[in-house]
Amino acid sequence: MTVHQLLIAPSSAITLATVEDFVALGIPENLTVEYKRGGDKPAEAAAALANTYGGIILVGVAEGDSGIPKDIVGVDRKEKERLVNRMGTSYDPPWSPEVIEIPLRDSDKVVLVLRIDRDQVPAPIVMDGSILVRLDGRNVKANRQMMAALLAQADTGQAGGFQLAQASRSPGLHRPVISRTGTKQDLQLRAITSVPLPIVRRRIRLATGMPEKVITALSRTKLHPLTVGLARVLQSSDENVPTRWNITRATSREVVLALGPEGLTVEEQEDATAICQVVVALTDDRLEVIADVVLWQEGRRLSWDHVQLALITLAQAVGGVLLPEALTAIVGPITTSPPAVEIHVTTHRYGVPDRTVDAFVDVSSIGERPNVRKIRGANEFLDETLIENGDWAPAVIDALTSVAMDWGFPSPTFG
């Protein structure tokens, strides 16, 4: 029985033979599987899995080298009550996963099967003042970014657990928008994100009507005005200003849309302008979203402010709108944290030696932070936009909150 089958099987169908068959598979501990002899550690593991992908914990199974299950040793029957009580008193908000008790043969001991369905978790689960997440078979305290995502999710009253989101590969080496030798593009800006599909809801194809759903979602982003604005910066007329989104490719696994001048493709463009392209695809049980802005500059240099605004807009579009909309269309309503988004800038042109970014972008202002002031002797910054009428308290509290979160305290209090 696989992890997926063990997660969705009726409780009555899980027997000692089921556990023995699963252990015999030798599946090592990973993002969704944990083995514990007993003690308090299963409660920590349950909290971490609940805040991440969900999964299975087998209590009463000893692990060997590399996290591979070794022996079914069992635990005392009273362990179930103790574990449930531990979870009930240490979790905030109160929550407990399904705990199935499996008796061993010719023994008073049992194996406990904990099944965590992340869609039913009132995330985030805070255990003894800390937020735990699952990383590569380990339970660790969430870092500042993870905690901020989970706490923001809790503020909106959402449930469903925390789904770690990481780009699946180096975006700079994947899906080049410009693929034909001889094209004259100068600069390409990219934002890419991807998430694994939930184990119990994985699909092998995109949802019906995905191109129309993506176009609707694009209307909630600023990609159209961004692309139009960049085109107007680069040219003296509106002749090559992008007009509308066009579906350039649509299959059961991938949808590609382009925003550019009417009747022109990315490969055919030569005059100064900007074109935007968006890709939504299923790759290796992951959902991937990519957005590119491709620029033909004809000798003009963009200011760094334009590039920075473009990258922020691309990242917000793929992470805040397109990925959540596409994920909901594929697997149904689901709560996820803001995903990690990678951004890339490239001047690569096929058949032409590599060129430096400063040939196309004025990079002299990179690194300037006009609205922040560094705290003396610390690595945090005061956000001066929070200072009003000489009141520094909001800016100081904001900086100290960041320090507290780095130390693992998600909800610091200040006297």
Side-chain angles (χ1 to χ4, degrees):
M1 180 174 285
T2 64
V3 176
H4 174 70
Q5 291 170 329
L6 193 56
L7 278 169
I8 66 174
S11 300
S12 59
I14 299 179
T15 65
L16 181 59
T18 303
V19 174
E20 290 173 337
D21 290 343
F22 185 83
V23 170
L25 292 174
I27 299 174
E29 291 184 330
N30 53 51
L31 288 172
T32 58
V33 177
E34 177 90 358
Y35 308 105
K36 292 296 183 186
R37 281 183 172 270
D40 291 334
K41 294 298 184 181
E44 294 181 6
L49 289 173
N51 285 329
T52 317
Y53 297 102
I56 297 291
I57 302 173
L58 297 182
V59 182
V61 175
E63 60 178 287
D65 295 335
S66 301
I68 297 174
K70 183 178 180 181
D71 299 308
I72 300 177
V73 296
V75 294
D76 293 336
R77 288 182 179 274
K78 62 182 181 182
E79 188 73 12
K80 177 180 179 180
E81 181 180 0
R82 198 180 74 83
L83 177 57
V84 171
N85 288 338
R86 167 69 171 148
M87 293 187 291
T89 57
S90 61
Y91 289 171
D92 182 19
W95 168 82
S96 178
E98 180 184 19
V99 182
I100 304 170
E101 187 178 88
I102 308 294
L104 299 186
R105 299 184 187 90
D106 303 322
S107 174
D108 292 334
K109 292 189 175 183
V110 298
V111 171
L112 301 179
V113 180
L114 280 65
R115 299 199 295 185
I116 297 107
D117 181 355
R118 65 178 298 275
D119 293 335
Q120 303 301 318
V121 176
I125 298 297
V126 180
M127 182 178 181
D128 297 332
S130 297
I131 295 177
L132 300 173
V133 293
R134 186 78 170 168
L135 294 178
D136 298 326
R138 298 177 295 114
N139 308 314
V140 300
K141 284 187 177 183
N143 61 26
R144 182 196 303 184
Q145 181 183 10
M146 295 173 185
M147 284 193 290
L150 284 164
L151 293 169
Q153 185 173 295
D155 288 341
T156 60
Q158 296 176 324
F162 178 55
Q163 183 168 352
L164 293 177
Q166 297 175 344
S168 59
R169 55 184 60 81
S170 172
L173 300 177
H174 182 57
R175 298 179 184 275
V177 169
I178 306 305
S179 57
R180 298 184 183 179
T181 301
T183 53
K184 299 180 180 180
Q185 90 289 347
D186 295 311
L187 195 65
Q188 181 176 336
L189 312 177
R190 162 164 291 183
I192 178 173
T193 187
S194 71
V195 293
L197 296 180
I199 295 174
V200 296
R201 299 189 189 178
R202 283 186 176 166
R203 294 277 298 271
I204 61 172
R205 59 181 60 86
L206 294 171
T208 303
M210 182 61 80
E212 290 75 18
K213 290 181 173 65
V214 175
I215 289 177
T216 300
L218 284 168
S219 66
R220 294 171 44 218
T221 74
K222 296 181 179 179
L223 291 181
H224 193 161
L226 167 73
T227 310
V228 171
L230 289 173
R232 286 175 173 162
V233 167
L234 295 173
Q235 60 193 40
S236 56
S237 70
D238 287 349
E239 181 179 354
N240 287 325
V241 168
T243 54
R244 63 187 179 90
W245 291 99
N246 296 294
I247 302 170
T248 60
R249 177 176 171 81
T251 70
S252 63
R253 303 278 295 180
E254 180 181 73
V255 171
V256 182
L257 296 102
L259 173 67
E262 186 70 28
L264 289 177
T265 67
V266 172
E267 288 80 8
E268 295 170 341
Q269 181 59 39
E270 293 184 356
D271 298 328
T273 193
I275 287 180
C276 185
Q277 178 167 287
V278 170
V279 178
V280 176
L282 287 177
T283 58
D284 301 327
D285 295 326
R286 301 180 72 92
L287 175 64
E288 184 174 70
V289 178
I290 308 170
D292 291 279
V293 169
V294 186
L295 303 166
W296 289 260
Q297 298 179 216
E298 294 297 306
R300 298 177 180 86
R301 282 207 310 172
L302 282 177
S303 70
W304 170 246
D305 288 344
H306 282 118
V307 175
Q308 186 176 39
L309 175 62
L311 292 173
I312 292 173
T313 303
L314 287 167
Q316 291 173 338
V318 301
V321 178
L322 297 175
L323 182 73
E325 290 287 342
L327 189 61
T328 299
I330 295 171
V331 302
I334 185 172
T335 302
T336 62
S337 66
V341 178
E342 291 188 18
I343 55 175
H344 288 249
V345 178
T346 180
T347 62
H348 181 70
R349 181 192 294 176
Y350 283 82
V352 177
D354 287 341
R355 302 162 298 172
T356 59
V357 172
D358 58 2
F360 307 98
V361 180
D362 180 2
V363 298
S364 60
S365 63
I366 291 180
E368 293 182 1
R369 301 186 65 180
N371 291 323
V372 297
R373 182 178 302 178
K374 189 171 182 180
I375 300 175
R376 185 173 182 179
N379 290 321
E380 294 299 331
F381 291 84
L382 293 179
D383 186 347
E384 295 188 356
T385 62
L386 298 176
I387 302 170
E388 186 174 356
N389 297 325
D391 182 8
W392 287 71
V396 173
I397 290 174
D398 175 73
L400 292 178
T401 299
S402 297
V403 174
M405 293 178 73
D406 280 340
W407 283 87
F409 298 99
S411 302
T413 58
F414 302 99

